[in-house]
Amino acid sequence: MDSKYKTRSFRLTLLFGAGVLALLALRATQEAVQALLWLGALWLIGTATLHELSQRWPTHTPWQLVPTLLLASLLWLSPLQFACWLWAFAILLILPQPWWLVTFNILLATLSWWRVQAYLSTEQSMSSALILAALMLLGLIRSLYYRPLWQGISERVRLMPGTRLWTASQLLEDLPRESARSDREATHTELVLLRTQHRYCWSLAQALSRQLQPFEHCYRVDGRTLATLLTSRDIDHARQRRDALLASLHGPRRTRVISLACPLTLDAECEALAKQSRDLVIIEKVPSHA
Amino acid sequence: MHDEKPWPSRLFALIYVMGVLLMVGNAAWHYLMGDFLRILLPAVLALLLLGATLLHLTDPRYQRPSAYLVLISSFLLLAVELDQTSEAIILWIGLPPLLALLLLPPSSALLLNLLLAPLWLVLPVDGQVTYDMAFTYLAIIILGALAPLEQRRQQALLEATDPMDSECQALNASAIHELLDSEFARATLLQRRLSVLAIHLPQLEMAHEQFGARLRLELLQRFCSVAHHTCRAHDSLGRAQTSLFWLLLPDTGETGALMVRNRLISALDATVLAETGAIASRIAVCSPHPSETWTTFEQRLQIKGQALMESTH
């Protein structure tokens, strides 16, 4: 599974990068530079180890800020030693990132160039500015090409390859479909919403996935709320399955179970779940055809 | 496959033109300085870059050769310039690896950079390159490759989580297997019926051999749209093998499935492609027997599909 997502070579490069940074840190004379290089090495090691974690939920934190700031501050502190890193601003731009970050990146690149050009002759500083601008444009164009991909990542419906864990947008699609299907097939389907604390969310999702049947899925509504659609033969079967499911889950949580036979919207139910005072609320309505 | 998707060509050409202008500017600078011997190289390289620009514009397939042309010309100029200046070496030796990373895929860029690293470090005159410089240089080669690698990883992740086939509007093989598994479990637990149509398109291979990839794609897409129009919203179409499709019909018995089969065959007969005529299809119906297990059912389905594919040869 690892090699399929090119994680191994990526992780190896991360660790190599961290090693080289540590080496540079050992040789650095300025204390501030040393600290920054160690910081960079630690960040790379952290990224390499927490890699799996970042695959679980799509993150929207602007982590691209870290390398940009590190690069800019190193160039500011020791422009002569790190002059050859100036061009790396262009490569940082190829990562798709929010537009404010792109602007910030360009600003920092200009600032760093200003710092470096103090040591250059006029013609060299002019030509380096032009080349840097061209390279950054090249980087931006490449990021434009990958932007749809990046948006696809944050909007992908399945959160992790190989698991039955899906996004809220998929739940919104599945809700009307399952409700229509249970009507037609005369089965009983209910929406189960589980609200827990942030840190229990992942383990709860795993436990939930283990308990579900192959045709049922676990959805992540937000950072603390999980959902599933429980499909059973009839209402007695549903009660039996629901009790078994809830008994097998551990950890603090609030649960809300609503039969799909009731008219419902996901937003309203999530709000009701957040406000409900009891730990377990079950809204059952015997379907009209039963 | 996606790696080869053409980059926005005109914007790239713009960058290449900027490169040409920089080269011309370099030549003009030498002319103004009265350094006539050094005009020739940038002038020739400017022409080479212009050639690369045109190459890039004419056909997106040539983006790799044109990228190499750009790399060669800028490396040459940089090497000559580095050989003759003693100032700010450290700044300029950082340029070639970054340029390679921006223009080439990450793995080949990394390889090229590592191979050329000794050259760039030896080139500047009289021992200006210190150990510190070499390490800084090594660091930028490795760290620079992280950004394109991260991009590639994201792409791989997206592809791995995308259940659709890359060529047509059907689920891919792993997704349809997974769905069949789940539908089977659902049918068993809820005591509902389930039927699967195994559909073989015998023309697919022939269309590719005789008329090329375009017709093959058209055939696939026409078939998928016909199949989607024929079946109900909750039926799902998936591509189990290159020319073998599965159509899952939940809550449908064998007779219902036969009706769907006949509807599909007549709809496909009415779909005519200019080159091959009507879309030919061989369709078998497979429903699980009562108390049949998942593995035997899947085996039976596989065997039926295989038989369909072999009967046409």
Side-chain angles (χ1 to χ4, degrees):
Chain A
M1 183 162 148
D2 250 2
S3 61
K4 200 163 145 199
Y5 313 114
K6 327 246 176 193
T7 42
R8 203 165 291 165
S9 64
F10 181 63
R11 202 178 271 183
L12 204 69
T13 322
L14 274 173
L15 290 179
F16 257 121
V20 180
L21 278 188
L23 215 98
L24 278 176
L26 286 177
R27 294 181 66 92
T29 41
Q30 265 174 287
E31 258 174 33
V33 170
Q34 215 168 14
L36 281 173
L37 287 171
W38 278 122
L39 207 67
L42 283 181
W43 181 64
L44 289 182
I45 293 174
T47 314
T49 43
L50 297 180
H51 191 68
E52 293 290 311
L53 219 81
S54 71
Q55 259 183 22
R56 285 182 203 166
W57 322 124
T59 51
H60 291 285
T61 43
W63 56 269
Q64 294 95 338
L65 208 57
V66 180
T68 314
L69 281 176
L70 270 179
L71 183 64
S73 37
L74 280 175
L75 273 163
W76 184 261
L77 283 171
S78 173
L80 260 190
Q81 197 202 340
F82 295 106
C84 76
W85 288 15
L86 177 66
W87 314 106
F89 277 107
I91 205 101
L92 283 177
L93 277 181
I94 78 169
L95 294 169
Q97 46 201 307
W99 286 112
W100 66 267
L101 208 55
V102 172
T103 325
F104 188 60
N105 223 320
I106 294 172
L107 209 74
L108 283 182
T110 321
L111 206 70
S112 307
W113 169 80
W114 183 255
R115 190 76 181 153
V116 171
Q117 63 86 41
Y119 300 87
L120 301 177
S121 59
T122 324
E123 78 268 12
Q124 287 217 357
S125 63
M126 286 323 288
S127 55
S128 64
L130 285 176
I131 293 174
L132 184 63
L135 283 187
M136 290 182 74
L137 203 56
L138 189 62
L140 260 183
I141 290 173
R142 275 195 66 171
S143 84
L144 280 187
Y145 170 68
Y146 280 107
R147 198 158 265 273
L149 166 79
W150 175 59
Q151 274 152 2
I153 281 282
S154 27
E155 282 158 22
R156 70 197 150 126
V157 285
R158 174 170 248 185
L159 284 169
M160 246 182 104
T163 58
R164 285 185 288 135
L165 192 62
W166 306 77
T167 52
S169 62
Q170 183 67 31
L171 177 60
L172 285 176
E173 251 175 58
D174 285 356
L175 260 177
R177 203 181 54 212
E178 285 300 321
S179 142
R181 196 170 161 177
S182 72
D183 251 7
R184 196 180 51 241
E185 294 182 355
T187 51
H188 181 86
T189 306
E190 50 196 21
L191 173 69
V192 180
L193 287 169
L194 297 162
R195 189 176 164 88
T196 178
Q197 283 157 20
H198 236 298
R199 58 205 158 108
Y200 294 119
C201 201
W202 172 244
S203 57
L204 187 65
Q206 278 179 313
L208 189 59
S209 295
R210 271 197 300 275
Q211 293 301 320
L212 293 175
Q213 288 288 328
F215 56 88
E216 291 161 336
H217 302 285
C218 179
Y219 306 88
R220 175 184 180 262
V221 181
D222 57 43
R224 318 177 40 177
T225 316
L226 297 168
T228 185
L229 290 169
L230 217 55
T231 308
S232 327
R233 273 197 294 278
D234 47 43
I235 204 151
D236 296 324
H237 188 216
R239 277 190 199 124
Q240 189 189 329
R241 289 198 57 206
R242 182 204 310 142
D243 291 344
L245 175 73
L246 295 181
S248 69
L249 298 175
H250 304 286
R253 59 166 195 275
R254 259 185 276 166
T255 314
R256 190 175 180 85
V257 183
I258 319 104
S259 159
L260 284 197
C262 316
L264 60 88
T265 62
L266 184 60
D267 285 343
E269 293 308 326
C270 286
E271 214 169 292
L273 173 69
K275 281 185 197 147
Q276 83 187 23
S277 49
R278 278 179 298 152
D279 276 346
L280 177 62
V281 170
I282 297 172
I283 303 170
E284 261 178 7
K285 184 176 156 191
V286 182
S288 51
H289 52 65
Chain B
M1 183 181 158
H2 289 272
D3 270 346
E4 296 302 320
K5 220 158 58 175
W7 290 343
S9 203
R10 289 209 191 118
L11 285 172
F12 254 78
L14 181 75
I15 295 288
Y16 284 14
V17 169
M18 272 178 91
V20 175
L21 290 181
L22 281 171
M23 291 277 179
V24 172
N26 187 280
W29 173 259
H30 288 314
Y31 175 75
L32 288 177
M33 291 285 108
D35 205 350
F36 297 113
L37 273 181
R38 289 169 66 183
I39 296 178
L40 186 64
L41 184 70
V44 170
L45 292 180
L47 285 180
L48 196 65
L49 264 186
L50 204 62
T53 316
L54 292 178
L55 196 65
H56 193 96
L57 274 179
T58 46
D59 196 332
R61 270 180 307 168
Y62 292 138
Q63 71 178 34
R64 193 59 57 74
S66 72
Y68 275 109
L69 271 183
V70 173
L71 281 184
I72 291 169
S73 49
S74 34
F75 281 17
L76 264 179
L77 186 70
L78 212 69
V80 171
E81 293 287 321
L82 269 185
D83 198 31
Q84 284 164 1
T85 58
S86 53
E87 188 197 359
I89 300 281
I90 177 78
L91 174 67
W92 294 107
I93 59 168
L95 186 53
L98 263 300
L99 200 59
L101 282 170
L102 280 171
L103 287 173
L104 298 178
S107 44
S108 36
L110 195 61
L111 190 69
L112 184 75
N113 286 339
L114 288 176
L115 283 178
L116 288 182
L119 187 80
W120 292 115
L121 290 174
V122 163
L123 206 66
V125 274
D126 38 79
Q128 285 188 38
V129 177
T130 57
Y131 277 118
D132 271 341
M133 247 164 109
F135 281 133
T136 326
Y137 184 73
L138 190 67
I140 198 59
I141 291 180
I142 293 173
L143 297 179
L146 283 176
L149 278 177
E150 162 70 11
Q151 241 179 18
R152 208 175 62 165
R153 187 188 67 81
Q154 287 192 354
Q155 186 157 18
L157 182 63
L158 188 68
E159 272 164 27
T161 48
D162 185 13
M164 296 313 278
D165 190 84
S166 57
E167 286 185 315
C168 54
Q169 273 296 309
L171 298 168
N172 61 26
S174 65
I176 194 70
H177 271 101
E178 198 180 321
L179 195 66
L180 180 64
D181 181 13
S182 72
E183 284 300 339
F184 188 86
R186 184 178 180 133
T188 316
L189 186 85
L190 305 182
Q191 294 159 355
R192 295 291 181 274
R193 291 163 305 172
L194 169 73
S195 291
V196 182
L197 294 188
I199 307 163
H200 172 55
L201 298 179
Q203 286 168 336
L204 208 56
E205 206 174 312
M206 186 271 290
H208 185 69
E209 279 165 10
Q210 293 184 4
F211 302 100
R214 193 198 52 80
L215 186 75
R216 174 191 148 90
L217 269 186
E218 194 182 338
L219 184 65
L220 276 173
Q221 280 156 6
R222 290 284 282 277
F223 164 73
C224 288
S225 76
V226 168
H228 282 302
H229 275 108
T230 318
C231 64
R232 299 159 301 176
H234 59 276
D235 298 338
S236 19
L237 180 72
R239 197 174 179 190
Q241 286 172 39
T242 322
S243 62
L244 186 71
F245 287 82
W246 286 351
L247 184 61
L248 303 194
L249 308 167
D251 199 27
T252 307
E254 201 144 359
T255 35
L258 279 172
M259 275 164 63
V260 176
R261 172 179 180 266
N262 294 339
R263 257 205 327 267
L264 186 57
I265 287 182
S266 54
L268 286 175
D269 277 341
T271 313
V272 180
L273 292 175
E275 289 90 340
T276 57
I279 300 179
S281 58
R282 285 167 175 267
I283 307 179
V285 177
C286 196
S287 306
H289 305 312
S291 79
E292 187 175 22
T293 62
W294 153 245
T295 32
T296 50
F297 174 63
E298 206 210 356
Q299 265 170 13
R300 214 152 53 80
L301 188 61
Q302 299 272 17
I303 291 167
K304 270 204 172 160
Q306 212 58 42
L308 279 183
M309 284 164 52
E310 273 156 19
S311 64
T312 54
H313 288 309

